[in-house]
Amino acid sequence: MIALNLLAGITRGLGITLGATLVFALLLLVLRHFVSLPLIGAYIANLLDLIDQHRGLVR
């Protein structure tokens, strides 16, 4: 009984992990067509500039 429940728990966890991975991969593929990656890169560059400015003020 314990071994059966252990096996069921392992397979359930593996199934959830694989399923979530597939769903997130498909979601990323769909979002990739709607969102421009250079926009995200520009946002991150601005954020890094703000962080560098803040570090300059703190020192």
Side-chain angles (χ1 to χ4, degrees):
M1 185 75 157
I2 292 173
L4 183 63
N5 283 332
L6 178 63
L7 184 62
I10 290 171
T11 55
R12 188 175 297 123
L14 185 61
I16 290 171
T17 303
L18 290 175
T21 301
L22 287 175
V23 168
F24 284 126
L26 289 173
L27 182 66
L28 283 175
L29 285 174
V30 170
L31 286 177
R32 206 164 153 193
H33 293 287
F34 295 115
V35 177
S36 175
L37 289 180
L39 271 177
I40 296 171
Y43 175 75
I44 292 173
N46 288 336
L47 185 62
L48 291 175
D49 287 340
L50 286 172
I51 291 170
D52 286 340
Q53 288 174 2
H54 180 71
R55 284 185 182 167
L57 293 175
V58 172
R59 291 181 184 173

